Structures are given as C-alpha cells and as structure tokens.
Amino acid sequence: MNSRRVLPPYRVKVVEPIPFLTADERRAALADAGYNPFNLRADQITIDLLSDSGTGATSTLQESAAALGDESYAGARSWFRFRDEIQALTGYPYVLPVHQGRAGERILFASMLKPGQLSVSNTHFDTTYANVVLAGAEAVNLPCPAATDLDSAEPFKGDIDLAALEQLLAGPDGSRVGVVLMTITNNGLGAQPVSMANLTAVRALCTRFGVPFFLDAARFAENAWLVAQREPAYHGQTPREIARAAFDLADGCLISLKKDGLTAIGGVVGLRDEARYAACEANLIATEGFSTYGGLAGHDLERLAQGVREVLEPTYLHSRADSTARLARLINDAGVATVAPAGIHALYLNAGRLLPHLAPHEFPGHALGCQLFLDGGIRCAELGSLYLGGMDEAHRLVTPAPFELVRLAIPRRVYTDTHLEYVADVLADIAKDPERVNGYRIVAAPPLLRHFKVRLAPLSG
Ligand SMILES: *Cc1c(COP(=O)(O)O)cnc(C)c1O
C-alpha cells in the first residue's frame, strides 16, 4: 500500500488571522451569546465548523476572473461565461441565476407546486422544506432504511427508499405528488451520498407515474466523487462525467453554489422545459434581478464559472475526501463515534453515545458543541433534540429527536490538516472525562427556526 499523504492541489497565498481567546474569555463570550453558538461573533472563534456554505477559499484564477467581471445590467460577458459553464455541467438548456439556493427553491416551487401537493425527497434540506410549505404543499421524506443505522458502513445511506416511493406514487396520494426531489449528497442525513443506481430507479418511477424529477445538487461534485469510489459501475469515470450522468437523469435542478460552487454567494436553477422556464423567469425578474444576473454581481458570476470547474478536479476532491476521512479516524480513535461511513463536507458526532449521562431534554448535542467552544474555540452545529425535537409552549421537550448529533462542517480549502488535528485533540480531551460536560435548558425560544435564535442556560453540574 502506498502510505504517502494525499496532497491538496494548491498552496496558500493569502492568509487570514484566526483569533485565540483565553478560556475565561470564551466562557464570557458563550454566556453573552445565550449559550447559542449562532450568537457568537466570528472574531471569538478559533476554528469555525458551523457551515460549509459560502465559507470556502477562492483561487487565484477565480480572483483574476472576478477582476474581469462585467457589471452590465443586461447581457454581461460574465453571464454568458457562467451560463455556458452551467450548461456544460448539467446539460440543461435553461439556466436561471439566483443569489443563493433558497431563492431558487422559492422560484421553482411557485411554478411547480400547488396547495395540497406533495414534494417527495430522500430528505429535504431545512430551507427547501420551508419553501415547500410556503408554496402550500407538503414535504415528505423517504430516506432508505440503512440511513437510521448510524454505525453501518453501507456505501449509499443517502438513497431514497424506492419501495416506499413506489408505494406512495401507486397509492391514493400518488396523484398529489408534484415533484420528486433528490438531495445529493444527503446533507440532512449524515452527508451520505446517493448512488447512481438509486437515481436511475427514481427516474424510471417518475417516468412511469408522470412526475417531474429534480435534483437538489448543492454537493454535485462531492456526490460524484463518492460514487466513483463506492459504486463499481462508475469506477474510473471522472467526477464531471458522473455529475453529468446524474443531471442527465433529472428534469432540472436546484443548486446552492455556496457549496460546490466554491464561492461565498450564488445559486442556480437549471431546467429542460421552456414553459416552466418562462414562468420562473418572470418570477426571477420580479424578485431577484434581470435574468442575466439574478441577484449576483458580474464578479460573482465569474468566480462561480471558474469555481464549478475547479471543484470537479479529481486531485481536489481526492484530497478533500481524504482529509475528512482522516479526521474521522482521529476522532474515532479518540473514542468518539461519527456517523459512518465518513462523507466529505461534514462529520456528525454521536453526542448521545458520548454523553449518556445527559438525557435528550438536557441537549447532549448542544452540550458537546458548547464544550468544544469552551475548551478549544471550535464552533459547530447541533443536530439533535434542540434543533429537531418537538417542544411544548414552555419549551419543554416533548418528542426527542431520533439521534443527538453534532455536525462538524468542513469549509472548502480553508483549514489545514493541522487545524483538523487540533479539533480531534480537543474532542479527545472531552472523551477522556465526558461526565464533566454539563447539560442545558432553554430560557427563551422563537416559534419558528428555533435553533438560530434560542437562548439557553447551563444546568448546574
Ligand atoms: C445550502 C443548501 C440549500 C439552500 O441553499 P442556500 O444557498 O443556503 O440558500 C438547499 N439545499 C441543500 C442541500 C443545501 O445544502
């Protein structure tokens, strides 16, 4: 076996300082933030793993392209460069630029979903779910059964449950299904990839029942990389070929380009159908911007056009996947379980298992996230009962989430393996004495999108 390290295909040219607070300063900062990491200031954080969205580093080629950005109101050079790249990537003739993914969701669903209809998915992303509901429709998640076994090493736990999808389409509610939307990779369920076999079967079912099939493809390149590694029929194919094969199966796509677009902002809707394009375009012009910029500046379109090329480079995807897998091994060796197998854009810590002394209503995932900040200045997001649990009016937990997880999202091209080793070290210290981690209780919470604005207090330990 070749034991040489896999190198990132770039070196660092411009650096940004990161803050180091003392333990006392971190304690005070977290108390001021109401024990909610979303309320922390970025300059209080040493390693920020809150999100991989819009947080990646750009390249010299992206920044030099940005200098060429054409800011003409209509028909800018930068628009045509962007459009050509998206058409080459997806094969879709109609391309609508939007400022970020959720604007595309709103615009597409307004033309596609009617009140009472269903959107069916392997798992809807949270804003996708919200936009389905805002369109008056209902969101149905049908993850495959393997997704709920956090420890199983099955390669494609992001797949949709095909039997359940067929049953729904053939059953009494089948006529209500307005779209089948496959999220690749499945961000809501452990960053797990979706197999091409699953997408092919979804295509066949959608054709048979006459239902539009769309991709929510924020991580189109990372899904393609994992397909190349894990699905034998695709060994040896390039990420671009596999991504294109996935887009070929669908009728259109939504893409938040803040992820695999390798930029801070941007999104796109891709369509095959001209009439649907016309409906979406009118909405785009009314709410986002003219159809050749859609809420983006010319310099953004230039960075994006270059970003969607760079993200498909096998050397880049290889090193990113290797780096995440290596972090997973370090964390597992320290005695902390992560959702298996490791994906690419994030690792999900099994906080429920690490902190059995905390009940779900004491929010073990949130407690672990807070401890990572207190001990090491690391910020991450809870995906457990605080975020997903059902609560009564007094903010008491009524229905716990199925799992108590913490997501470590890994920004693209930002942190070195030394930074990630530091994260594993801080976790290892917590794992040596997990009982010192205190639980939390809710002090105040808004009625909607609780996790962003909730305020908590530590339970005295
Ligand atoms: C980020 C994301 C979105 C929403 O995109 P924004 O750019 O954040 O508005 C939708 N779907 C998936 C799968 C995402 O990861």
Side-chain angles (χ1 to χ4, degrees), residues 6-23:
V6 178
L7 291 184
Y10 48 81
R11 56 183 177 173
V12 177
K13 188 170 189 124
V14 178
V15 299
E16 181 181 15
I18 56 177
F20 294 93
L21 273 60
T22 64

Side-chain angles (χ1 to χ4, degrees), residues 4-278:
R4 276 195 191 160
R5 293 290 297 274
V6 178
L7 291 184
Y10 48 81
R11 56 183 177 173
V12 177
K13 188 170 189 124
V14 178
V15 299
E16 181 181 15
I18 56 177
F20 294 93
L21 273 60
T22 64
D24 284 342
E25 288 169 335
R26 288 195 296 261
R27 215 176 356 260
L30 192 62
D32 280 349
Y35 296 91
N36 181 347
F38 277 103
N39 292 333
L40 289 167
R41 298 168 52 118
D43 60 11
Q44 295 167 326
I45 291 153
T46 303
I47 307 276
D48 202 345
L49 306 183
L50 188 62
S51 178
D52 68 318
S53 180
T55 52
T58 53
S59 68
T60 50
L61 284 175
Q62 284 178 289
E63 291 309 316
S64 57
L68 300 175
D70 178 354
E71 307 297 347
S72 302
Y73 188 89
R77 267 189 324 272
S78 305
W79 153 249
F80 290 106
R81 186 163 175 232
F82 172 82
R83 185 202 64 180
D84 291 352
E85 280 299 337
I86 298 295
Q87 286 176 340
L89 168 68
T90 64
Y92 301 140
Y94 300 107
V95 173
L96 295 131
V98 288
H99 81 278
Q100 66 181 87
R102 65 198 71 182
E105 295 162 4
R106 178 178 54 73
I107 288 169
L108 180 71
F109 295 156
S111 90
M112 192 147 77
L113 291 175
K114 307 213 167 9
Q117 283 195 309
L118 306 178
S119 169
V120 184
S121 179
N122 49 345
T123 307
H124 292 84
F125 179 72
D126 57 7
T127 62
T128 320
Y129 182 94
N131 276 297
V132 167
V133 172
L134 286 172
E138 248 175 82
V140 178
N141 291 333
L142 300 176
C144 69
T148 54
D149 181 353
L150 303 188
D151 300 315
S152 105
E154 298 236 1
F156 290 108
K157 288 156 77 174
D159 284 354
I160 199 168
D161 183 337
L162 290 169
L165 177 62
E166 181 168 2
Q167 203 174 15
L168 175 61
L169 289 167
D173 285 330
S175 60
R176 290 170 63 204
V177 178
V179 66
V180 175
L181 184 71
M182 290 292 291
T183 310
I184 63 170
T185 57
N186 195 342
N187 183 32
L189 271 181
Q192 299 295 313
V194 178
S195 67
M196 295 300 292
N198 195 251
L199 294 178
T200 303
V202 170
R203 167 75 274 166
L205 284 172
C206 287
T207 302
R208 195 169 119 211
F209 291 95
V211 174
F213 169 26
F214 274 67
L215 295 178
D216 183 2
R219 297 175 185 83
F220 62 88
E222 294 179 355
N223 200 77
W225 180 259
L226 293 170
V227 164
Q229 307 310 304
R230 299 182 187 177
E231 195 165 357
Y234 291 84
H235 287 342
Q237 290 204 27
T238 65
R240 180 178 286 279
E241 287 164 346
I242 295 169
R244 177 56 186 269
F247 288 117
D248 280 348
L249 288 167
D251 298 308
C253 68
L254 296 162
I255 311 180
S256 165
L257 290 169
K258 300 179 68 169
K259 285 76 170 221
D260 277 348
L262 295 176
T263 46
I265 199 78
V268 72
V269 181
L271 297 169
R272 289 194 200 287
D273 184 77
E274 190 178 359
R276 175 158 290 138
Y277 170 72

